[in-house]
Amino acid sequence: MTVNKIRIICSLLLCIVSMLSFAKEREVIDFNRGWQFCLTANTQEPVPAPGETWRPIDLPYDFQLNLPWEKGANRARAFKKQAAAWFRKTFTAEQSWKGRRVMLDFEGLMYYGDVYLNGRHIGGTEYGYCGFDCDISGLLDYGRENVVTVYTNTGTDGGSRWYTGGGINRDVRLILTDTVALARHGIYVTAAPKQGDSGVWQVAVQAEYAGSTLSKGRLETEARILDAAGNVVAGSGRFACPAASRLELVEVKLPLIDVANPNMWSCETPYLYNVEVTTYCDGIARDRQTERFGFRTIEYGADFGFRLNGRKVFLQGIANHVDFGGVGVAAYRTAIARQLRQLKAFGFNAVRCSHNPYPECFYDLCDEMGILVVDEFVDKWSTDGNCWGGRTDFLSCWVPLMQEWIKRDRNHPCVIMWSLGNEMQHRENASGYMTGDWGVTMFRMMDVLLKRYDATRPSTAAMYPARANGIRRADKGFREKENILPPELSRITEIASYNYEYADYPRYKECDPDLIIFQSEASVNDLVTPFLRMDRKSTVGLCYWGAIEYWGESDGWPKKGWNYSFFDHTLKPYPRAYLLRSCFKEDEPQVHIGVLDGEQKSIIWNDILSGRAEMSHFYWKPAAGDSITLEVSTNCDEVELLQNGRSLGVKRNNRSNDKVANKLLWRAISWQPGRVTAVARNNGREVARHELRSPGKAVRLKMTVEDNPMPGGRPADLIYVRLQAVDSKGLPVDNYEGEVKVEVGENAALLALDNGDHFTDRRLDMPSTTLYRGGALVILRPKSAGGTVTLKASCTGMKPVVKKVNI
């Protein structure tokens, strides 16, 4: 019998014994339901603003999205005024909680805020993208009602460059443990191949305790590794903790655990294990906590870019602000999973978290779905309050915020890179301490702290599209070769992350051959050219900026946000999303027709050309013979276009020209009612086809419940229902713009009726709107799991449609 098997048997026997004498198990209580909310002008007391009242609400909730759109408000903040709000919740502290540690855990709130219990201040944050907790064990009135009140504030207009939302927009929990328990984010687990032993991996587990916990008795810690089915595959045995420490937090490193031939985590097969850590005090089990992790290797090099498990992977990513369309920044698991599923369907394999930590469940879902993550801390390292929304300055609070961020996310196998900031190196007041070196010293200071808590991933910071010495596009000599030098900061980061400027990467490599290049932002305006022009064999990858529409960063009223995108904010793909898909999924033969409705609209944004052509899937004109232009995306050799069976010609795919590769144009076609068909061929053989059909008059409303299965079989926390005007044959009629109204049964709440129009003036939480491009999206929140809810939709000139929706 091997030593490892003996360890496992002993571990199981000890577990059985300990279960007989286990203190109360750790409890995590969902604290999201049953709150009240009011807008306020009072920062000290929970008093509604004039004309406001307390309203019942469940969390998460983004109150700012449901404020009126105002033309005079800041366009960067989605034409929503900055505001403050109070939240409160009354609950009974059970007598059985006495003698236990009771933690009130906030995953986040926007933008800053304070927490009170029974009128006493107990905690708060200056940067609501990072979480915090409050120990309320000694402050509760046990057996009686207690009141938690929370003040939230969206900050000033200049505190952010984009729409942040407002309120308690992430989960709140009560966590009950024994008084002998792990600290916050108290498990750190890494795995690496064992040297000289093929197929065997070593798992390093670290447990963290408050220093005061060590004096409560003889502490021991044990770790067990469980596979996805819950089977124990290895264990550490019990390991004695130090008897005492003067440190506030103590890290206990357990003996390395051998695991033979583990299942690997990858984008295709994201297999996850659990590490279960049990804490014993004087032989009695007092706390048990589980963390997920995966077995995988990551490598970076100047000649190959990035490898996952020894295989070259090119990041095909998105860089977006936290934004979930109709629910704003409220962190619903279904909303996030739905985004990730759509991205993966179009060939995306990575997300850059721009420019802040995302909700915790985002990382869980990326772990489960096999999506790679570039995890970002903050936007600028602001010294003057610009682009920083907290009440205290960034330089005085970044250390604990970074500790919280790294400890929270470091066990996720999906996280493959840390990014410490964005576009700060071109001006001193955005690059930290005034050291005169374009952020180099600040980065090095931050990187030392980062590596203290995780040294298994490389670090980076995304560069503004400027040269060394802060030379920007508007400066004289920007295009002169002697000035095309990589920014100073990018030459000392482990990964050189550049926003845009892909044409200069070869010159940057001439200057510094050791650069490991990542295009941290690419412009949708350039379509697939950034992807095709990069040396994908030697670079890490790219992330398209704003590939999904988001609120804020509008270039002018009445547009409410960024829409130079591949998907609208309800996740409908624009036709050119299929052009990108034809490159991202190059092994899958594909063809797709889009209707070019207008010329390319472009703007200069942050020194970069951004824009999008107006395109649709609506094959219709007012009269036969009207001119129409069709754009066909394909990764095949050639495409023949047929109109009602008549050939309009065959065009070859010019793959050698990255400006027109995979894109074919048929201009000034005489439109005829019926159908248009694109037939794609490789080597003369048909391999794909796509068809558009012209609709008739809109006669009814079609209601379709989206299928959004959740990883792990969890119940969905949101239900999405599409409404679409169709003709007598069921074809979408995208130019129908009737008024639609919905009525929702008592088992669910209407969160949003979102028609997908980024120019809307309608509030999304209202039960009526106009159809846009013939459709609208209903977002429901079930009041409990199971059962059905009745949804009724009525539209001008049409018979109402009613459906029982499973929840």
Side-chain angles (χ1 to χ4, degrees):
M1 186 178 291
T2 65
V3 172
N4 207 38
K5 286 183 178 179
I6 293 171
R7 278 184 174 178
I8 293 172
I9 293 170
C10 291
S11 177
L12 288 169
L13 291 172
L14 286 169
C15 180
I16 293 169
V17 172
S18 68
M19 285 176 66
L20 301 176
S21 58
F22 197 92
K24 287 188 177 180
E25 290 273 8
R26 175 182 287 255
E27 295 179 60
V28 179
I29 300 172
D30 183 347
F31 214 57
N32 284 338
R33 300 278 187 172
W35 288 76
Q36 291 181 308
F37 151 83
C38 72
L39 294 173
T40 187
N42 193 316
T43 63
Q44 301 299 319
E45 295 182 24
V47 178
E52 287 287 322
T53 59
W54 288 99
R55 289 175 271 166
I57 203 74
D58 291 326
L59 305 180
Y61 182 60
D62 174 6
F63 76 79
Q64 193 178 27
L65 190 66
N66 294 330
L67 298 179
W69 309 102
E70 297 190 29
K71 187 176 182 179
N74 189 334
R75 67 181 187 178
R77 307 292 291 270
F79 293 105
K80 299 283 188 179
K81 280 193 173 180
Q82 305 319 305
W86 283 97
F87 292 76
R88 71 182 181 188
K89 177 182 172 75
T90 300
F91 69 103
T92 299
E94 305 293 339
Q95 287 283 1
S96 60
W97 297 357
K98 268 190 175 180
R100 304 182 73 185
R101 187 178 69 176
V102 185
M103 307 298 294
L104 182 57
D105 180 82
F106 288 84
E107 189 189 321
L109 53 82
M110 279 292 110
Y111 183 94
Y112 62 77
D114 294 292
V115 182
Y116 301 81
L117 177 66
N118 300 328
R120 178 175 177 175
H121 186 266
I122 59 172
T125 184
E126 300 303 315
Y127 185 58
Y129 294 110
C130 290
F132 61 97
D133 61 14
C134 312
D135 188 342
I136 59 175
S137 314
L139 304 174
L140 289 167
D141 194 354
Y142 292 97
R144 298 183 181 181
E145 287 189 342
N146 294 259
V147 181
V148 172
T149 51
V150 182
Y151 173 77
T152 66
N153 195 307
T154 61
T156 62
D157 276 344
S160 177
R161 297 185 297 115
W162 59 85
Y163 175 76
T164 63
I168 308 177
N169 64 312
R170 298 185 182 181
D171 288 338
V172 183
R173 312 172 187 88
L174 271 181
I175 302 175
L176 279 61
T177 71
D178 194 275
T179 54
V180 175
L182 289 164
R184 179 174 177 81
H185 307 311
I187 299 175
Y188 178 36
V189 55
T190 60
K194 187 175 183 179
Q195 292 187 357
D197 199 343
S198 178
V200 176
W201 284 59
Q202 290 190 314
V203 180
V205 179
Q206 175 181 292
E208 189 170 287
Y209 299 95
S212 59
T213 302
L214 301 182
S215 63
K216 294 182 180 291
R218 180 174 53 85
L219 261 64
E220 297 172 296
T221 305
E222 178 185 26
R224 301 193 305 163
I225 310 301
L226 289 75
D227 64 16
N231 301 309
V232 178
V233 297
S236 68
R238 294 192 192 182
F239 181 75
C241 300
S245 176
R246 294 180 180 176
L247 294 173
E248 182 178 343
L249 289 172
V250 178
E251 297 167 347
V252 178
K253 293 177 170 60
L254 277 65
L256 294 174
I257 304 170
D258 286 353
V259 177
N261 301 310
N263 293 298
M264 302 299 289
W265 186 93
S266 68
C267 296
E268 297 75 25
T269 57
Y271 193 96
L272 294 167
Y273 286 80
N274 283 293
V275 57
E276 179 191 85
V277 176
T278 303
T279 304
Y280 299 87
C281 184
D282 296 330
I284 298 175
R286 303 284 290 273
D287 185 40
R288 181 174 293 133
Q289 190 173 354
T290 300
E291 275 283 307
R292 291 196 308 188
F293 73 103
F295 290 89
R296 56 105 174 100
T297 61
I298 57 174
E299 304 169 77
Y300 294 84
D303 57 341
F304 62 82
F306 171 67
R307 290 176 184 156
L308 178 66
N309 301 327
R311 184 175 67 88
K312 165 68 182 177
V313 174
F314 187 81
L315 270 57
Q316 300 174 171
I318 178 176
N320 256 54
H321 297 304
V322 176
D323 194 294
F324 309 115
V327 296
V329 300
Y332 288 96
R333 185 179 289 265
T334 305
I336 299 170
R338 185 172 170 269
Q339 275 194 0
L340 295 174
R341 190 176 295 110
Q342 181 73 311
L343 289 170
K344 196 156 188 177
F346 277 76
F348 289 81
N349 63 11
V351 176
R352 174 184 168 218
C353 300
S354 307
H355 305 291
N356 42 256
Y358 275 25
E360 288 181 30
C361 62
F362 163 82
Y363 302 89
D364 290 336
L365 288 164
C366 288
D367 284 344
E368 294 164 353
M369 299 171 72
I371 294 175
L372 304 170
V373 174
V374 178
D375 203 0
E376 195 154 273
F377 178 41
V378 73
D379 185 18
K380 310 287 185 275
W381 306 329
S382 177
T383 62
D384 60 3
N386 188 35
C387 304
W388 172 253
R391 293 163 292 189
T392 60
D393 67 278
F394 172 73
L395 295 181
S396 68
C397 61
W398 69 268
V399 171
L401 291 171
M402 180 180 281
Q403 291 170 317
E404 166 70 15
W405 167 56
I406 297 296
K407 287 185 177 183
R408 190 196 73 168
D409 294 348
R410 61 187 176 180
N411 292 327
H412 290 283
C414 66
V415 176
I416 59 166
M417 192 191 310
W418 302 114
S419 176
L420 300 184
N422 173 70
E423 293 188 341
M424 77 298 291
Q425 92 290 346
H426 63 296
R427 63 177 212 261
E428 277 204 300
N429 64 351
S431 55
Y433 299 105
M434 298 289 194
T435 52
D437 56 6
W438 306 104
V440 169
T441 297
M442 182 70 184
F443 180 88
R444 283 178 166 151
M445 293 171 64
M446 298 175 81
D447 197 46
V448 168
L449 184 68
L450 164 65
K451 296 295 195 292
R452 166 67 180 84
Y453 296 106
D454 183 70
T456 67
R457 302 164 175 91
S459 56
T460 190
M463 301 297 110
Y464 187 89
R467 313 289 191 213
N469 296 310
I471 298 175
R472 297 176 57 173
R473 188 175 297 274
D475 296 331
K476 185 178 179 180
F478 180 81
R479 293 298 334 162
E480 294 176 6
K481 185 174 181 179
E482 61 268 23
N483 289 327
I484 303 178
L485 302 173
E488 295 84 353
L489 181 56
S490 71
R491 300 184 73 167
I492 62 102
T493 58
E494 290 166 287
I495 308 298
S497 296
Y498 300 111
N499 290 351
Y500 317 104
E501 300 297 345
Y502 54 88
D504 294 329
Y505 297 166
R507 169 63 179 163
Y508 286 179
K509 288 282 276 191
E510 285 180 24
C511 299
D512 190 343
D514 293 329
L515 291 176
I516 303 172
I517 290 179
F518 169 49
Q519 188 175 177
S520 37
E521 289 179 20
S523 175
V524 169
N525 181 82
D526 292 343
L527 300 176
V528 296
T529 304
F531 175 81
L532 295 174
R533 196 170 290 184
M534 288 188 75
D535 178 5
R536 298 195 297 279
K537 291 181 179 178
S538 68
T539 55
V540 172
L542 85 171
C543 289
Y544 277 95
W545 179 257
I548 300 173
E549 290 178 349
Y550 58 83
W551 305 115
E553 292 198 294
S554 166
D555 54 323
W557 180 269
K559 189 167 70 172
K560 305 311 188 299
W562 186 268
N563 75 335
Y564 302 122
S565 307
F566 290 122
F567 304 90
D568 77 9
H569 66 255
T570 73
L571 296 186
K572 274 188 175 181
Y574 291 115
R576 280 180 171 169
Y578 294 91
L579 172 62
L580 187 66
R581 189 181 191 277
S582 73
C583 290
F584 277 6
K585 286 180 167 281
E586 58 187 355
D587 294 333
E588 176 188 327
Q590 51 195 286
V591 65
H592 194 89
I593 308 170
V595 179
L596 197 61
D597 297 322
E599 293 303 314
Q600 181 88 4
K601 179 184 178 183
S602 297
I603 62 167
I604 297 296
W605 189 272
N606 281 359
D607 285 353
I608 293 299
L609 190 67
S610 300
R612 175 173 62 86
E614 287 299 319
M615 292 184 67
S616 71
H617 295 106
F618 189 45
Y619 181 62
W620 183 89
K621 286 291 178 182
D626 285 356
S627 178
I628 192 170
T629 296
L630 302 179
E631 182 177 296
V632 178
S633 303
T634 187
N635 54 10
C636 301
D637 294 344
E638 64 180 28
V639 172
E640 183 177 11
L641 194 66
L642 307 170
Q643 186 181 54
N644 297 327
R646 182 177 66 87
S647 178
L648 298 179
V650 176
K651 296 196 176 187
R652 299 281 299 177
N653 184 3
N654 185 0
R655 296 188 180 98
S656 62
N657 185 338
D658 58 35
K659 290 288 187 182
V660 298
N662 289 19
K663 186 172 68 171
L664 306 172
L665 275 177
W666 272 264
R667 295 186 182 275
I669 295 171
S670 175
W671 180 81
Q672 302 295 327
R675 66 188 66 197
V676 62
T677 308
V679 179
R681 301 185 180 95
N682 282 334
N683 299 318
R685 183 176 63 87
E686 180 182 334
V687 290
R689 69 167 52 206
H690 181 239
E691 184 174 273
L692 295 180
R693 297 169 64 187
S694 58
K697 180 182 177 182
V699 296
R700 65 184 177 89
L701 199 61
K702 182 179 179 182
M703 182 184 292
T704 305
V705 181
E706 286 189 2
D707 183 20
N708 288 310
M710 297 300 295
R714 301 182 191 88
D717 52 5
L718 295 180
I719 306 296
Y720 287 81
V721 183
R722 289 273 184 191
L723 304 177
Q724 177 67 49
V726 297
D727 68 3
S728 59
K729 296 179 181 179
L731 295 175
V733 184
D734 286 358
N735 64 345
Y736 189 78
E737 297 181 348
E739 184 83 5
V740 64
K741 180 180 179 181
V742 298
E743 300 172 50
V744 182
E746 62 182 13
N747 293 334
L750 175 69
L751 293 191
L753 178 58
D754 182 3
N755 66 6
D757 181 9
H758 233 48
F759 292 76
T760 186
D761 290 329
R762 309 285 285 265
R763 275 179 50 176
L764 275 63
D765 61 335
M766 295 289 103
S768 63
T769 192
T770 55
L771 294 179
Y772 177 68
R773 293 178 178 161
L777 181 67
V778 182
I779 307 176
L780 304 175
R781 182 178 188 178
K783 293 182 179 178
S784 60
T788 62
V789 62
T790 301
L791 177 63
K792 178 181 178 181
S794 308
C795 189
T796 308
M798 297 180 180
K799 184 179 178 181
V801 58
V802 180
K803 180 170 283 192
K804 285 192 178 294
V805 179
N806 292 326
I807 56 176

